[in-house]
Amino acid sequence: MKDVIVVIGAGSIGQAIARRVSAGKHVVLADLREENANAAAKTLGEAGFEASTAKVDVASRASVHALVDTATALGPVTGVIHAAGVSPTQASPATVLQVDLYGTALVLEEFGNVIARGGAGLVIASQSGHRLPALSPEQNKALTLTPADELLALPMLQPDQVSDPLHAYQMSKRGNALRVMAEAVRWGKRGARINTISPGIIITPLAKDELAGPRGAGYRRMIEKCAAGRAGTPDEVANVAALLMGPDGAFITGSDFLMDGGVTAAYWYGELAPA
């Protein structure tokens, strides 16, 4: 049986990472939209990778657990790439929290139960988590350690507290990084590692939705005013992912890597600072 790499969210970033870390392994491409998974499998298959597909709804424990069963039946799961999510323009605050926060907690929990020794996981979070003002120690602990199935009941996440989809997105992505830190302790007991990458504006279909949406002007300003002066590419995210999931990253776990071309730096200390 070959080692298995599970890619949840078969979009541009997930595929780019899979190309870097899946040679000689079996790739399971899982997505809510089967046509996305099938298209990604065709592309990878034509490039010499062994790939199969699965449908998954990350906001459903039963669906995530079924994906775990599918993957483990193929071989030991040595890699998990969680790149699924919705953006603030695509969904309501409740849906953002359900998919991006709760869904990520489910993936970490379920795959943390089966990840093979020597394996590694990666969650794609966002620069948005770094622009949320500091939370209290109690709030941080709640986002980090509350059991997954109780997360959405937290008082800090109720509609009277989180009424804007961007706020929901920022909370979710901050929660992802915090949760990965805690999960690194549990994954470590299995001899595995887990980290987060927080990308900035990476040119993907999701980013194009944002650039064409009501926040488009703000996104274009971020690109213009950041140190890099441009958006990023999925392959650049994959470069960092390859380090984190490979042998050169063996001493890195429970960490969050911000790669946004300097947008967050400019937000806190430069020309993008709020008035």
Side-chain angles (χ1 to χ4, degrees), residues 14 17 27 35 42 59 64 71 75 80-81 86 97 104 126 152-153 171 183 185 200 209 235 242 267:
I17 298 171
V27 188
E35 63 271 22
K42 182 174 185 291
V64 176
V80 180
I81 301 157
V86 292
L97 289 171
T104 299
S126 169
L152 297 180
M171 289 289 283
E183 283 283 347
V185 177
D209 281 349
D235 288 321
Y267 178 84

Side-chain angles (χ1 to χ4, degrees), residues 12-260:
S12 305
I13 291 176
Q15 287 184 57
I17 298 171
R19 283 174 176 271
R20 293 297 301 272
V21 303
S22 303
K25 301 177 182 180
H26 186 107
V27 188
V28 178
L29 294 154
D31 203 284
L32 181 61
R33 295 185 175 89
E34 290 178 277
E35 63 271 22
N36 290 355
N38 290 336
K42 182 174 185 291
T43 300
L44 287 176
E46 289 173 348
F49 293 89
E50 182 180 333
S52 59
T53 66
K55 183 174 181 177
V56 67
D57 176 1
V58 296
S60 160
R61 182 178 289 278
S63 183
V64 176
H65 189 77
L67 177 61
V68 169
D69 288 343
T70 296
T72 54
L74 294 167
V77 176
T78 58
V80 180
I81 301 157
H82 180 43
V86 292
S87 77
T89 296
Q90 295 173 324
S92 67
T95 299
V96 171
L97 289 171
Q98 189 171 33
V99 174
D100 293 358
L101 180 66
Y102 173 64
T104 299
L106 284 183
V107 167
L108 289 167
E109 190 175 296
E110 290 282 346
F111 278 95
N113 293 333
V114 301
I115 188 73
R117 177 164 291 278
L122 186 66
V123 171
I124 301 300
S126 169
Q127 63 175 358
S128 281
H130 290 262
R131 287 205 295 278
L132 186 71
L135 301 174
S136 71
E138 293 76 19
Q139 288 174 316
N140 280 338
K141 190 172 182 180
L143 277 179
T144 306
L145 298 176
T146 299
D149 291 324
E150 299 171 22
L151 253 180
L152 297 180
L154 287 173
M156 64 187 287
L157 299 179
Q158 298 316 298
D160 63 327
Q161 299 294 312
V162 182
S163 59
D164 177 76
L166 180 59
H167 186 202
Y169 190 73
Q170 290 175 334
M171 289 289 283
S172 297
K173 298 305 181 177
R174 175 70 61 83
N176 292 166
L178 289 168
R179 204 136 190 119
V180 160
M181 188 179 292
E183 283 283 347
V185 177
R186 192 169 71 97
W187 285 47
K189 291 175 182 175
R190 296 182 61 87
R193 300 179 296 106
I194 178 76
N195 292 290
T196 314
I197 295 177
S198 290
I201 300 172
I202 307 297
I203 297 303
T204 65
L206 185 148
K208 288 179 179 177
D209 281 349
E210 290 296 318
L211 285 163
R215 297 183 183 84
Y219 276 72
R220 286 187 288 276
R221 187 165 179 266
M222 285 185 212
I223 293 171
E224 291 165 7
K225 299 296 184 183
C226 73
R230 64 172 177 86
T233 67
D235 288 321
E236 288 175 305
V237 179
N239 289 339
V240 177
L243 165 67
L244 296 177
M245 296 189 71
D248 288 343
F251 197 57
I252 307 171
T253 191
S255 296
D256 175 50
F257 286 76
L258 174 65
M259 52 176 305
D260 66 355

